Amino acid sequence: MSSKRTAGAVVIGGGAIGTAVACYLAKDGVDVTLIERGEFAWGTSRRCEGHIVTYDTAPGPHSVFCKRGQEMFYEAQKFLPVDFDFQPEGIGLLVDDENHLETVKANFEGKKKEGFDVTLWDREELKQHEPNIGDDILACLNFNNDCTVNPMRLCYGLAKHAEANGATLMSRTNVTDFRMEKGRISSVVTDKGEIMTENVILASGIWTPQLGAMLGLNVPIRPRQGHVIVTERSKGLVSKAYVEYGYLLAKGGEKRDNVTPDMDKFGVAFVLEPSSAGTHLLGGCRRFVGMDTRPHPAVMRAIAERGQHFFPALADTRIIRCYAGVRPFTPDAKPIISPTHLGGVYVAAGHEGNGISLSLITGKLISDFINGSTPEMDLSYMHIDRFGFNPPALPIGAA
Amino acid sequence: MFTKVSDSNNKKITIYFEDEPVEVEEGMTVAAAVLEPSHGWTRTTHGGHKRGAFCHMGVCHECLMTIDGVPNQQACLTPVADGMKVYRQNGEPDFHQEEGKHA
């Protein structure tokens, strides 16, 4: 095919970030084309749990950013055309180690100051709410506005809404080249024709570095693998989603001495999400094993063991599936939402483990960039310039 | 669909399907044993639809039943035993209702 089309903006990547970027651009009146190599929600967005979280950021600017990102989901469920299993039950952060209590309490106070709806349960209160909780669990910090969604349905909803607002959706489309004119992007070449455009958003998660390389842009994202175990259906195990405090340590790559060597090695930390279908999604781990997405028996065993430590009743539940995916990890664990040194080229990627949570706010920010309105918050900590791998980026508006 | 080929000399035992005694032959599977009394349905889905043993070889998981108090048992892979109590499983098993199992 050698057709030529034009678009106000081309978004590359059909996961949670790409579909959200396309959705908000289209809502804000930009003529968008959304390109996906496979089908929508084909990569990391179908291999994850759908937590919309604020539990994994310490109080500070990024915590407030995550909170805003979360608030957008309460709005989005009203206008998105697909029911994405929005469950605003809150998420509990479980503590099983005395040494962590102080940090968690400080977290609780800090989050309260930032206006979060948080509550702290001691062991007895936790036991009342969750009769199946393990005996060694000391406390639970509840983030009452955290919620869960079905990430695939979210992507479909965002893509459909973009389409309803005039976006062109192109699945099964491979980007083969970019054309530049006078330091600005001028077109995206695909195996289904060329699209003339002045704005390109690289929103391909873990595959973003490959696209960056085609442009001479260094995007420092590495794949960090995770596993999700799916249990058979059951009722009455838990009333909402839970995660352990150790999840934050595993995410930070810190050594943990209160878990088995295997759990420490694989970065295993407990996450449990009841799905609307009656199954439970049990995770997770963090491993640097390249692009390997094959479930590993030793990792599954460690995840299952960790799960039973928090909810011993899981021992009576069979596993029906397990899948692994790769998260887009950045060196400082913050996403890249940024213009670049190439005119008209933007990056929205690297949301390791927070892509679903931050999808909507990322979409809104990119739309603001392209519409030339400067966001009201300081986004420098998510700027690609912080790594120093590329020439300085163009300012918003000039890009 | 199913016809019994012949009577074997296997010992007759009694199992209880939904509290009703059923005389069956030793060596059968639960799924086969309850084919008749269950009218072919052994469970209901999450959405309340009837399901019954389809493959009889442990693959389809359509014959899940509660056997001797344990939910989610594949009836087609479970041999009958004298005095066994078998119930249809309606929707997902409930962790709150299984006596002693999750204490």
Side-chain angles (χ1 to χ4, degrees):
Chain A
M1 269 175 72
S2 60
S3 67
K4 273 200 182 184
R5 311 179 27 248
T6 58
V10 173
V11 182
I12 306 170
I17 303 294
T19 53
V21 170
C23 177
Y24 281 89
L25 278 168
K27 269 174 87 75
D28 293 342
V30 176
D31 166 30
V32 189
T33 296
L34 174 60
I35 297 177
E36 160 60 43
R37 184 183 48 170
E39 295 293 344
F40 294 103
W42 243 33
T44 307
S45 298
R46 70 171 170 145
R47 299 164 178 269
C48 56
E49 304 195 8
H51 290 192
I52 311 303
V53 301
T54 54
Y55 62 67
D56 63 351
T57 43
H62 194 56
S63 162
V64 176
F65 180 74
C66 290
K67 184 165 180 274
R68 285 200 188 180
Q70 181 178 74
E71 283 157 6
M72 291 175 71
F73 277 85
Y74 287 79
E75 289 304 309
Q77 55 134 359
K78 293 175 193 156
F79 67 74
L80 286 187
V82 173
D83 170 10
F84 54 86
D85 290 350
F86 183 71
Q87 307 281 349
E89 261 87 56
I91 298 179
L93 186 71
L94 299 170
V95 186
D96 72 327
D97 189 329
E98 293 277 358
N99 302 322
H100 301 154
L101 276 173
E102 210 166 304
T103 318
V104 170
K105 279 181 182 147
N107 234 343
F108 169 60
E109 298 299 338
K111 290 278 187 182
K112 259 203 313 203
K113 280 197 188 80
E114 288 178 348
F116 282 79
D117 178 1
V118 281
T119 47
L120 193 57
W121 290 340
D122 61 12
R123 193 204 309 250
E124 280 64 41
E125 252 181 310
L126 175 59
K127 188 88 187 162
Q128 277 166 15
H129 286 94
E130 298 293 349
N132 291 316
I133 194 80
D135 294 337
D136 304 331
I137 316 307
L138 307 173
C140 177
L141 176 54
N142 297 290
F143 291 80
N144 297 317
N145 288 336
D146 282 13
C147 38
T148 64
V149 302
N150 177 319
M152 287 170 284
R153 287 171 161 268
L154 173 71
C155 291
Y156 302 150
L158 290 164
K160 268 194 156 57
H161 194 63
E163 195 172 35
N165 282 289
T168 305
L169 308 183
M170 296 175 73
S171 57
R172 305 261 173 187
T173 304
N174 289 285
V175 173
T176 54
D177 200 5
F178 293 98
R179 301 223 164 104
M180 310 283 293
E181 268 174 36
K182 298 175 194 150
R184 281 198 66 85
I185 192 83
S186 64
S187 80
V188 179
V189 185
T190 75
D191 54 2
K192 291 191 178 163
E194 187 172 356
I195 307 155
M196 319 300 287
T197 186
E198 293 200 336
N199 295 294
V200 169
I201 301 93
L202 310 181
S204 313
I206 186 59
W207 295 273
T208 308
Q210 297 168 20
L211 292 167
M214 291 161 71
L215 284 156
L217 178 72
N218 186 333
V219 184
I221 291 176
R222 284 171 72 199
R224 198 177 196 186
Q225 192 217 54
H227 279 51
V228 176
I229 288 174
V230 186
T231 71
E232 65 189 350
R233 288 173 164 169
S234 60
K235 280 190 293 232
L237 175 65
V238 285
S239 63
K240 64 179 185 194
Y242 284 94
V243 58
E244 66 159 303
Y245 176 75
Y247 183 91
L248 281 56
L249 303 173
K251 190 174 180 181
E254 292 172 49
K255 184 114 188 87
R256 292 151 69 212
D257 49 14
N258 66 334
V259 293
T260 65
D262 258 10
M263 291 175 192
D264 186 42
K265 184 172 77 184
F266 299 141
V268 166
F270 169 78
V271 187
L272 185 68
E273 177 188 329
S275 83
S276 61
T279 58
H280 292 81
L281 306 182
L282 175 66
C285 70
R286 276 183 151 74
R287 304 163 72 216
F288 290 113
V289 287
M291 293 298 283
D292 188 353
T293 52
R294 293 169 303 173
H296 193 298
V299 178
M300 287 169 67
R301 188 175 303 117
I303 291 172
E305 276 175 20
R306 194 64 187 155
Q308 288 173 60
H309 169 70
F310 287 92
F311 287 95
L314 279 168
D316 295 317
T317 307
R318 274 183 301 207
I319 292 171
I320 58 172
R321 258 197 309 284
C322 179
Y323 48 86
V326 281
R327 310 176 183 92
F329 164 90
T330 62
D332 61 3
K334 297 285 188 298
I336 307 168
I337 306 170
S338 172
T340 65
H341 69 284
L342 303 160
V345 178
Y346 301 84
V347 175
H351 299 65
E352 185 209 336
N354 267 355
I356 309 298
S357 297
L358 299 177
S359 55
L360 304 185
I361 196 165
T362 301
K364 185 69 191 132
L365 280 178
I366 293 285
S367 178
D368 287 350
F369 288 171
I370 285 176
N371 283 309
S373 56
T374 311
E376 61 220 64
M377 49 203 312
D378 175 24
L379 301 172
S380 57
Y381 71 94
M382 292 188 280
H383 203 290
I384 197 162
D385 281 0
R386 70 187 190 266
F387 304 112
F389 292 154
N390 301 291
L394 301 166
I396 293 163
Chain B
M1 186 164 128
F2 290 100
T3 51
K4 214 166 158 196
V5 181
S6 66
D7 276 331
S8 68
N9 298 323
N10 282 359
K11 195 174 126 196
K12 299 277 191 289
I13 56 172
T14 304
I15 65 166
Y16 296 86
F17 170 70
E18 300 279 337
D19 300 326
E20 293 294 322
V22 185
E23 194 179 75
V24 297
E25 286 179 19
E26 209 166 33
M28 292 179 92
T29 66
V30 173
V34 303
L35 259 181
E36 202 177 359
S38 70
H39 304 289
W41 65 280
T42 50
R43 71 178 187 108
T44 55
T45 63
H46 180 67
H49 301 284
K50 292 176 183 177
R51 290 287 185 272
F54 176 70
C55 74
H56 283 270
M57 54 190 255
V59 177
C60 74
H61 288 70
E62 293 291 20
C63 66
L64 296 181
M65 302 183 82
T66 300
I67 299 176
D68 286 342
V70 184
N72 277 351
Q73 298 302 296
Q74 288 175 271
C76 74
L77 297 182
T78 310
V80 290
D82 199 28
M84 191 177 250
K85 290 185 170 56
V86 180
Y87 294 93
R88 285 188 181 118
Q89 184 168 303
N90 296 316
E92 313 88 338
D94 193 332
F95 274 88
H96 288 320
Q97 291 174 356
E98 295 154 43
E99 292 162 30
K101 194 163 137 45
H102 303 287

